[in-house]
Amino acid sequence: MLPPMTDAALKKALDQFLANVGANVRRELEKVVRNGFASGKLHNGESLTTAVTLSNQKVELDVTIFSTIEL
């Protein structure tokens, strides 16, 4: 049996997850925002209310976080 996870190990695991998610989210947002400007769907000064959903069935996680991106 493995010992319980330490706070340091948990922090490291979460930091790795968040770095991966953050990089992917940034890339996807940059792509769609650039395309939005190029197509004329977006303009300077607009704001985009955007959401990210975290989910995991094993631990019954289902949280959606909304935030606004000011362009």
Side-chain angles (χ1 to χ4, degrees), residues 20-30 52:
N20 181 41
V21 169
N24 285 298
V25 167
R26 175 179 294 277
R27 182 177 50 249
E28 292 301 318
L29 283 170
E30 286 177 352
V52 173

Side-chain angles (χ1 to χ4, degrees), residues 26-43:
R26 175 179 294 277
R27 182 177 50 249
E28 292 301 318
L29 283 170
E30 286 177 352
K31 181 172 51 176
V32 298
V33 168
R34 284 190 180 109
N35 289 341
F37 277 115
S39 70
K41 291 181 182 179
L42 294 176
H43 303 90

Side-chain angles (χ1 to χ4, degrees), residues 11-70:
K11 182 180 181 325
K12 181 180 177 184
L14 293 177
D15 286 347
Q16 289 172 337
F17 170 78
L18 291 171
N20 181 41
V21 169
N24 285 298
V25 167
R26 175 179 294 277
R27 182 177 50 249
E28 292 301 318
L29 283 170
E30 286 177 352
K31 181 172 51 176
V32 298
V33 168
R34 284 190 180 109
N35 289 341
F37 277 115
S39 70
K41 291 181 182 179
L42 294 176
H43 303 90
N44 284 335
E46 283 190 81
S47 59
L48 297 175
T49 299
T50 306
V52 173
T53 299
L54 299 171
S55 63
N56 182 286
Q57 290 180 340
K58 189 170 189 174
V59 293
E60 299 178 17
L61 172 66
D62 187 15
V63 176
T64 300
I65 301 164
F66 292 89
S67 189
T68 302
I69 301 169
E70 301 294 336

